[in-house]
Structures are given as C-alpha cells and as structure tokens.
Amino acid sequence: MSYIKAGQDANGEDIKLHYTDQGQGATVVLIHGWPQSHEAWTYQLGELPKHGLRVVAYTRRGFGNSSKPFEGYDYDTLADDLKAVLDTLNLQNVTLVGFSMGGGEVARYMSRHGGARVAKVAFVSAVTPYLLKTDDNPDGVDKSTFDDIQENIAKDRFGFLQTFGKQFYGEGPLSNPVSQAVLDWSFGMASLGSHQATVACGHAFAETDFRQDLATIKVPALVIHGEDDKTVPIKNSADRMSQHLPHATYITYEGAPHGLFITDKDKLNRDLIDFATGTDVRGG
C-alpha cells in the first residue's frame, strides 16, 4: 500500500493517508465521502485513467487503511491533509473532486491554502454551502436530523451504517438501484472507520459553514447532484450553491440518490472526464 505523511498525532506518531495513483495526464484528485474510503471511487478509478487523466484518490484520516488518530477531524485539519497530498506528490493544475463531505475539503482548501496547485473544482453530492439550519441559514437541515444520526451511531454504529447505506443508494420498498453485494461492500468500507472519526466527521460536515470559503473560489467549478438525494437533500445544498459560486456549471441527475458514483457511474464518469479535459460538460 502507498501512504502519504500528514503530520503527527498528539502522541507524536505519524499520520499516514492511504492513497492510489493511476494513469498519466492532467491530474484529478478524488476526495471521498463519509463514512467510506477512497475505494468508493472504484468505477472512477477504473475509467478516468483511460481518457488521458492521472487520477489520485486518498482516504481521509480515521477511515479505511489510513491512520486513525483520536483528533484532527475539523475541516481546517482535513484541508491541511489535502495539502499534504498535493505537496507530497507535487501535483500541479489539478481538478479537485469532492463527494459529499469531501466537497467541504475542497471549499476549505481553496480558502485556507489560496487554491494552490488547483485549476478546477467539482462538487458532487456535496454538503456545501452549509447544511445546518441556523438563524442566518434558514434553508439548512434541522439540527434534530443530525442529533438522530449521532444517537444512532452511539447506540449501534454498525446497525446505523447498514441502514444509512440503503438510504445512501436510494434503496426502498419499490426501488433497488444497487445489488446486495454493493450494499455489503459499502458497509465493509464504512465499518473500517474508527468510531471517533465517524462521530467527529459527522459533526464536522453537519456544522461547518462553507459560505465564505466558496466566495474565494475563482477557478472553473462544476456542481453535480442527484434530484432524489435523501442523504444530502438537493434543496439544502446544491440548489443554493449558485448564491455562493455563481460561475459554476450546475447539473442535476434526475432520479439519482446520494451515491451516484455507483448508481449513475457512467454519467458521472463522462461529466468528470469532460470537465477535467476541458470539453463542454453535457450533463443530463
């Protein structure tokens, strides 16, 4: 396995981020969602390098085969981890692609590190601009929703992860967009995360305000979201991105759930390839 050092924990131990680096050409960096690992990008890692792209994907601290420190799950630290990936591999003119929680890393990196080394950004099913409903963010999600998530994690994290996975891919009584094997695979990824990372990152993506971060982004931007996303509802997230990122291209996928990197993989791959290679993104 390949690892990148991203600082040290409180005990002086190196924090190592597991990553993969595939293909040659213009570089795309894929940042996964909560509570999975970079393995979630399996269909993108298998397709994008066929189109003249170098694709780097890494696993966030606390998850998969990356180090699992007790601390460091705030977005400032996570953005610094992203910087360590870009700096260590000396990546230039990259396209950053953040899925779900990973969209927050993209936004915070761009403001905290001045967009260094980045040519384009993409937000896929992302938690931006600000999920939590507050007095100055009335279009957010009610705090009780996130409280329920934390209570269920505390009660039975593995039971929560199985239920969450079904919603993630749009499973329902009359809807079976993915196989049981996909659900099992996804659960396996999520179960590798540490309890502390799962809890702390749940707070981070729910409670972090990215509106000022988005205002600093001047490079070309792409926003992709599923219309039937029940995990990060489109009305609370992507529909509001134009207020903070007015120059972005906004594409919705009809009928798509949150985990569209699986359910709509061909469409997503095509749009990411077009965006990264400078071709007009078709969408739809």
Side-chain angles (χ1 to χ4, degrees), residues 247-261:
H247 68 284
T249 298
Y250 181 24
I251 296 171
T252 61
Y253 289 0
E254 182 179 359
H258 191 59
L260 48 75
F261 56 84

PDB file of all heavy atoms in Angstrom, residues 247-261:
ATOM      1  N   HIS A 247     -20.517  31.331 -10.833  1.00  0.00           N
ATOM      2  CA  HIS A 247     -19.945  30.971 -12.133  1.00  0.00           C
ATOM      3  C   HIS A 247     -19.916  29.461 -12.382  1.00  0.00           C
ATOM      4  O   HIS A 247     -19.510  29.008 -13.453  1.00  0.00           O
ATOM      5  CB  HIS A 247     -18.523  31.530 -12.263  1.00  0.00           C
ATOM      6  CG  HIS A 247     -17.518  30.889 -11.353  1.00  0.00           C
ATOM      7  ND1 HIS A 247     -17.445  31.164 -10.002  1.00  0.00           N
ATOM      8  CD2 HIS A 247     -16.535  29.975 -11.600  1.00  0.00           C
ATOM      9  CE1 HIS A 247     -16.453  30.475  -9.469  1.00  0.00           C
ATOM     10  NE2 HIS A 247     -15.891  29.732 -10.419  1.00  0.00           N
ATOM     11  N   ALA A 248     -20.344  28.670 -11.408  1.00  0.00           N
ATOM     12  CA  ALA A 248     -20.280  27.218 -11.535  1.00  0.00           C
ATOM     13  C   ALA A 248     -21.301  26.688 -12.541  1.00  0.00           C
ATOM     14  O   ALA A 248     -22.401  27.224 -12.681  1.00  0.00           O
ATOM     15  CB  ALA A 248     -20.505  26.557 -10.180  1.00  0.00           C
ATOM     16  N   THR A 249     -20.938  25.618 -13.227  1.00  0.00           N
ATOM     17  CA  THR A 249     -21.880  24.856 -14.046  1.00  0.00           C
ATOM     18  C   THR A 249     -22.632  23.910 -13.121  1.00  0.00           C
ATOM     19  O   THR A 249     -22.022  23.171 -12.350  1.00  0.00           O
ATOM     20  CB  THR A 249     -21.139  24.037 -15.120  1.00  0.00           C
ATOM     21  OG1 THR A 249     -20.436  24.933 -15.985  1.00  0.00           O
ATOM     22  CG2 THR A 249     -22.111  23.192 -15.936  1.00  0.00           C
ATOM     23  N   TYR A 250     -23.962  23.933 -13.179  1.00  0.00           N
ATOM     24  CA  TYR A 250     -24.785  23.141 -12.269  1.00  0.00           C
ATOM     25  C   TYR A 250     -25.569  22.102 -13.061  1.00  0.00           C
ATOM     26  O   TYR A 250     -26.335  22.437 -13.955  1.00  0.00           O
ATOM     27  CB  TYR A 250     -25.731  24.061 -11.492  1.00  0.00           C
ATOM     28  CG  TYR A 250     -26.627  23.370 -10.482  1.00  0.00           C
ATOM     29  CD1 TYR A 250     -26.280  22.149  -9.920  1.00  0.00           C
ATOM     30  CD2 TYR A 250     -27.825  23.960 -10.092  1.00  0.00           C
ATOM     31  CE1 TYR A 250     -27.097  21.535  -8.984  1.00  0.00           C
ATOM     32  CE2 TYR A 250     -28.653  23.361  -9.154  1.00  0.00           C
ATOM     33  CZ  TYR A 250     -28.287  22.145  -8.607  1.00  0.00           C
ATOM     34  OH  TYR A 250     -29.113  21.525  -7.685  1.00  0.00           O
ATOM     35  N   ILE A 251     -25.368  20.821 -12.703  1.00  0.00           N
ATOM     36  CA  ILE A 251     -26.026  19.714 -13.374  1.00  0.00           C
ATOM     37  C   ILE A 251     -26.747  18.857 -12.339  1.00  0.00           C
ATOM     38  O   ILE A 251     -26.179  18.505 -11.309  1.00  0.00           O
ATOM     39  CB  ILE A 251     -25.008  18.839 -14.129  1.00  0.00           C
ATOM     40  CG1 ILE A 251     -24.338  19.637 -15.241  1.00  0.00           C
ATOM     41  CG2 ILE A 251     -25.674  17.592 -14.706  1.00  0.00           C
ATOM     42  CD1 ILE A 251     -23.182  18.911 -15.896  1.00  0.00           C
ATOM     43  N   THR A 252     -28.001  18.533 -12.606  1.00  0.00           N
ATOM     44  CA  THR A 252     -28.743  17.620 -11.746  1.00  0.00           C
ATOM     45  C   THR A 252     -28.985  16.309 -12.485  1.00  0.00           C
ATOM     46  O   THR A 252     -29.151  16.298 -13.709  1.00  0.00           O
ATOM     47  CB  THR A 252     -30.088  18.212 -11.310  1.00  0.00           C
ATOM     48  OG1 THR A 252     -30.908  18.467 -12.465  1.00  0.00           O
ATOM     49  CG2 THR A 252     -29.883  19.530 -10.561  1.00  0.00           C
ATOM     50  N   TYR A 253     -28.986  15.222 -11.729  1.00  0.00           N
ATOM     51  CA  TYR A 253     -29.270  13.902 -12.279  1.00  0.00           C
ATOM     52  C   TYR A 253     -30.665  13.483 -11.829  1.00  0.00           C
ATOM     53  O   TYR A 253     -30.910  13.271 -10.644  1.00  0.00           O
ATOM     54  CB  TYR A 253     -28.254  12.871 -11.788  1.00  0.00           C
ATOM     55  CG  TYR A 253     -26.862  13.006 -12.352  1.00  0.00           C
ATOM     56  CD1 TYR A 253     -26.518  13.997 -13.264  1.00  0.00           C
ATOM     57  CD2 TYR A 253     -25.861  12.120 -11.965  1.00  0.00           C
ATOM     58  CE1 TYR A 253     -25.236  14.104 -13.769  1.00  0.00           C
ATOM     59  CE2 TYR A 253     -24.579  12.209 -12.465  1.00  0.00           C
ATOM     60  CZ  TYR A 253     -24.269  13.212 -13.365  1.00  0.00           C
ATOM     61  OH  TYR A 253     -22.976  13.314 -13.864  1.00  0.00           O
ATOM     62  N   GLU A 254     -31.548  13.368 -12.789  1.00  0.00           N
ATOM     63  CA  GLU A 254     -32.933  13.013 -12.487  1.00  0.00           C
ATOM     64  C   GLU A 254     -33.007  11.628 -11.849  1.00  0.00           C
ATOM     65  O   GLU A 254     -32.441  10.662 -12.347  1.00  0.00           O
ATOM     66  CB  GLU A 254     -33.772  13.039 -13.762  1.00  0.00           C
ATOM     67  CG  GLU A 254     -35.249  12.737 -13.534  1.00  0.00           C
ATOM     68  CD  GLU A 254     -36.064  12.793 -14.810  1.00  0.00           C
ATOM     69  OE1 GLU A 254     -35.484  13.084 -15.877  1.00  0.00           O
ATOM     70  OE2 GLU A 254     -37.278  12.546 -14.739  1.00  0.00           O
ATOM     71  N   GLY A 255     -33.701  11.558 -10.711  1.00  0.00           N
ATOM     72  CA  GLY A 255     -33.926  10.288 -10.038  1.00  0.00           C
ATOM     73  C   GLY A 255     -32.739   9.729  -9.290  1.00  0.00           C
ATOM     74  O   GLY A 255     -32.829   8.644  -8.707  1.00  0.00           O
ATOM     75  N   ALA A 256     -31.615  10.446  -9.285  1.00  0.00           N
ATOM     76  CA  ALA A 256     -30.401   9.901  -8.673  1.00  0.00           C
ATOM     77  C   ALA A 256     -30.381  10.107  -7.162  1.00  0.00           C
ATOM     78  O   ALA A 256     -30.754  11.177  -6.667  1.00  0.00           O
ATOM     79  CB  ALA A 256     -29.168  10.536  -9.298  1.00  0.00           C
ATOM     80  N   PRO A 257     -29.901   9.106  -6.409  1.00  0.00           N
ATOM     81  CA  PRO A 257     -29.736   9.243  -4.964  1.00  0.00           C
ATOM     82  C   PRO A 257     -28.386   9.858  -4.641  1.00  0.00           C
ATOM     83  O   PRO A 257     -27.708  10.397  -5.516  1.00  0.00           O
ATOM     84  CB  PRO A 257     -29.802   7.782  -4.496  1.00  0.00           C
ATOM     85  CG  PRO A 257     -29.121   7.039  -5.609  1.00  0.00           C
ATOM     86  CD  PRO A 257     -29.521   7.759  -6.876  1.00  0.00           C
ATOM     87  N   HIS A 258     -27.993   9.744  -3.376  1.00  0.00           N
ATOM     88  CA  HIS A 258     -26.728  10.328  -2.942  1.00  0.00           C
ATOM     89  C   HIS A 258     -25.536   9.626  -3.594  1.00  0.00           C
ATOM     90  O   HIS A 258     -24.648  10.282  -4.148  1.00  0.00           O
ATOM     91  CB  HIS A 258     -26.627  10.232  -1.418  1.00  0.00           C
ATOM     92  CG  HIS A 258     -25.513  11.019  -0.822  1.00  0.00           C
ATOM     93  ND1 HIS A 258     -25.393  12.385  -0.977  1.00  0.00           N
ATOM     94  CD2 HIS A 258     -24.446  10.626  -0.065  1.00  0.00           C
ATOM     95  CE1 HIS A 258     -24.325  12.809  -0.328  1.00  0.00           C
ATOM     96  NE2 HIS A 258     -23.730  11.764   0.222  1.00  0.00           N
ATOM     97  N   GLY A 259     -25.527   8.308  -3.542  1.00  0.00           N
ATOM     98  CA  GLY A 259     -24.372   7.549  -4.016  1.00  0.00           C
ATOM     99  C   GLY A 259     -24.334   7.379  -5.515  1.00  0.00           C
ATOM    100  O   GLY A 259     -24.215   6.260  -6.037  1.00  0.00           O
ATOM    101  N   LEU A 260     -24.374   8.486  -6.234  1.00  0.00           N
ATOM    102  CA  LEU A 260     -24.472   8.412  -7.691  1.00  0.00           C
ATOM    103  C   LEU A 260     -23.162   7.995  -8.361  1.00  0.00           C
ATOM    104  O   LEU A 260     -23.151   7.719  -9.557  1.00  0.00           O
ATOM    105  CB  LEU A 260     -24.990   9.731  -8.265  1.00  0.00           C
ATOM    106  CG  LEU A 260     -24.374  11.053  -7.803  1.00  0.00           C
ATOM    107  CD1 LEU A 260     -23.023  11.281  -8.414  1.00  0.00           C
ATOM    108  CD2 LEU A 260     -25.320  12.202  -8.138  1.00  0.00           C
ATOM    109  N   PHE A 261     -22.077   7.921  -7.603  1.00  0.00           N
ATOM    110  CA  PHE A 261     -20.835   7.402  -8.184  1.00  0.00           C
ATOM    111  C   PHE A 261     -20.972   5.911  -8.495  1.00  0.00           C
ATOM    112  O   PHE A 261     -20.174   5.351  -9.240  1.00  0.00           O
ATOM    113  CB  PHE A 261     -19.635   7.654  -7.264  1.00  0.00           C
ATOM    114  CG  PHE A 261     -19.780   7.098  -5.873  1.00  0.00           C
ATOM    115  CD1 PHE A 261     -19.488   5.777  -5.592  1.00  0.00           C
ATOM    116  CD2 PHE A 261     -20.201   7.919  -4.840  1.00  0.00           C
ATOM    117  CE1 PHE A 261     -19.623   5.266  -4.315  1.00  0.00           C
ATOM    118  CE2 PHE A 261     -20.334   7.419  -3.556  1.00  0.00           C
ATOM    119  CZ  PHE A 261     -20.052   6.086  -3.291  1.00  0.00           C
TER     120      PHE A 261
END
